[in-house]
């Protein structure tokens, strides 16, 4: 709620750092997964959730539809129409995901309805809203992966680029976050293969602070210069080390997963190669 209510980057980072400071490592691992964009497959059909909410609230489907049209969000509508909870539960995020939600995929719609009804009955409206988002696989909040990496880095006292490297593949649908993976994510012990993708400072253009008459002395004679076309693409640095490829944006964001073609090409290079330049779309069959 705090993340969603603020638009200030610093406030969001501070909220995340406070959470990481008190959260159980297993819960923190799943929080990082969801906040960084992880989306597991939907565990219960939307039709089951909607029908169950109508039954629990004692309203017809047409009235639920009217509420939905006014609210504009299914999970929020469900949270509003449900009757007050009969009791209060107190289990962490990891238990909710691993022991309660993920097993629902293999259950019949009837069993799913019974279980979800029980779960709704121990949560307040805000918690029901979040639970329904997680059930539907549509969880999102006003945080990007880069912000999560920054918060983890500041909280753990690590370089944000190290955190970014360690989070590669962490939001894959097959990922199963746990306390061990979270401990490795924020560990101060370097792992050569996983932490070897550090980029160099980007080779950027800078103005020359010298008189034109001094250019030859400062830059060398123009006859020795090399001039190339200025292509406008995505500025990046590609690192190929220890059998792994890392692609960094100029803003020091790890974007490897967005360019599988570049990864495939980079794997042909000699180990230790680093290229700094522009990622471009190039015509097929071109000799460049």
């Amino acid at each position: 709620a705090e993340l969603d209510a603020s638009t200030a980057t610093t406030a969001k980072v501070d909220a995340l750092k406070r959470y990481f400071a008190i959260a159980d490592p297993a819960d923190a691992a799943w929080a990082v997964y969801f906040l960084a964009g992880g989306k597991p497959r939907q565990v219960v059909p939307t039709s089951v959730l909607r029908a169950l909410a109508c039954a629990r609230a004692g309203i017809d489907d047409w009235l639920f539809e009217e509420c939905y049209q006014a609210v504009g969000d299914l999970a929020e509508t469900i949270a509003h129409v449900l009757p007050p909870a009969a009791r209060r539960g107190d289990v962490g995020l990891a238990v909710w995901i691993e022991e309660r939600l993920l097993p629902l995929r293999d259950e019949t719609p009837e069993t799913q309805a019974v279980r979800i009804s029980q779960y709704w009955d121990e949560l307040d409206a805000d918690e029901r809203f979040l639970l329904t988002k997680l059930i539907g696989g549509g969880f999102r909040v006003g945080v990007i992966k880069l912000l999560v990496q920054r918060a983890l880095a500041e909280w753990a006292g690590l370089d944000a680029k190290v955190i970014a490297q360690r989070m590669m593949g962490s939001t894959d649908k097959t990922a199963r976050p746990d306390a061990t993976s979270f401990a490795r994510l924020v560990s101060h012990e370097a792992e050569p293969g996983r932490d070897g993708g550090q980029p160099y400072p980007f080779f950027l253009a800078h103005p020359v602070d010298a008189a034109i008459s001094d250019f030859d002395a400062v830059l060398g004679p123009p006859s020795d210069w090399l001039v190339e076309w200025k292509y406008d693409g995505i500025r990046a640095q590609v690192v190929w080390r220890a059998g792994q490829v890392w692609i960094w944006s100029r803003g020091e964001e790890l974007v490897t997963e967005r360019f599988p073609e570049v990864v495939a090409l980079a794997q042909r290079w000699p180990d230790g190669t680093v290229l700094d330049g522009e990622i471009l779309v190039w015509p097929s069959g071109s000799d460049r």
Side-chain angles (χ1 to χ4, degrees):
E2 190 173 348
L3 291 172
D4 199 39
S6 176
T7 58
T9 297
T10 302
K12 292 177 185 289
V13 170
D14 288 344
L16 288 168
K17 287 161 62 177
R18 287 194 299 274
Y19 170 77
F20 293 136
I22 63 172
D24 179 87
D27 294 339
W30 277 106
V32 169
Y33 172 81
F34 287 116
L35 291 171
K39 293 180 181 179
R41 185 164 50 89
Q42 184 170 351
V43 296
V44 176
T46 300
S47 58
V48 172
L49 295 174
R50 180 171 177 144
L52 179 59
C54 289
R56 289 296 311 276
I59 61 176
D60 292 332
D61 186 70
W62 71 264
L63 182 55
F64 183 94
E65 179 62 25
E66 289 293 323
C67 296
Y68 176 56
Q69 292 301 322
V71 173
D73 183 274
L74 178 67
E76 188 174 356
T77 304
I78 290 174
H80 283 315
V81 303
L82 290 174
R87 61 187 188 281
R88 294 290 293 158
D90 187 27
V91 298
L93 180 60
V95 173
W96 272 106
I97 302 300
E98 297 170 13
E99 299 181 17
R100 295 188 173 191
L101 297 191
L102 294 183
L104 286 176
R105 289 177 182 160
D106 302 321
E107 301 292 350
T108 64
E110 293 75 20
T111 301
Q112 289 175 344
V114 171
R115 298 272 177 84
I116 293 171
S117 183
Q118 293 171 345
Y119 299 156
W120 279 342
D121 212 24
E122 60 180 276
L123 301 173
D124 64 24
D126 289 338
E127 293 166 338
R128 287 168 172 172
F129 168 74
L130 176 57
L131 176 66
T132 307
K133 285 290 189 183
L134 295 176
I135 290 173
F139 172 74
R140 62 184 183 274
V141 70
V143 174
I144 60 174
K145 183 185 290 188
L146 200 62
L147 209 62
V148 178
Q149 293 166 354
R150 174 180 162 186
L152 278 169
E154 291 186 13
W155 172 72
L158 293 168
D159 189 317
K161 294 191 290 296
V162 171
I163 296 292
Q165 291 173 65
R166 294 177 178 180
M167 284 181 63
M168 283 183 64
S170 63
T171 56
D172 187 82
K173 290 185 182 297
T174 61
R176 286 300 296 265
D178 56 25
T180 300
S181 67
F182 184 76
R184 292 179 67 232
L185 177 62
V186 297
S187 172
H188 280 252
E189 296 183 10
E191 297 184 24
R194 188 172 59 150
D195 297 341
Q198 289 279 359
Y200 292 101
F202 273 76
F203 193 73
L204 305 176
H206 299 281
V208 177
D209 187 17
I212 294 179
S213 58
D214 297 332
F215 271 22
D216 284 7
V218 175
L219 302 175
S223 58
D224 292 341
W225 293 2
L226 293 176
V227 180
E228 62 181 19
W229 291 105
K230 170 64 172 69
Y231 292 108
D232 189 14
I234 298 172
R235 186 61 185 272
Q237 197 170 126
V238 184
V239 181
W240 167 241
R241 294 193 189 113
Q244 190 168 350
V245 177
W246 291 269
I247 303 176
W248 295 89
S249 72
R250 178 177 169 179
E252 296 188 345
E253 180 183 1
L254 201 58
V255 294
T256 312
E257 295 164 350
R258 302 181 195 176
F259 300 101
E261 303 94 335
V262 177
V263 172
L265 291 170
Q267 290 170 343
R268 305 175 188 175
W269 302 343
D271 186 65
T273 300
V274 179
L275 288 187
D276 180 342
E278 300 280 326
I279 295 179
L280 305 169
V281 175
W282 205 260
S284 178
S286 171
D287 59 357
R288 289 195 170 186

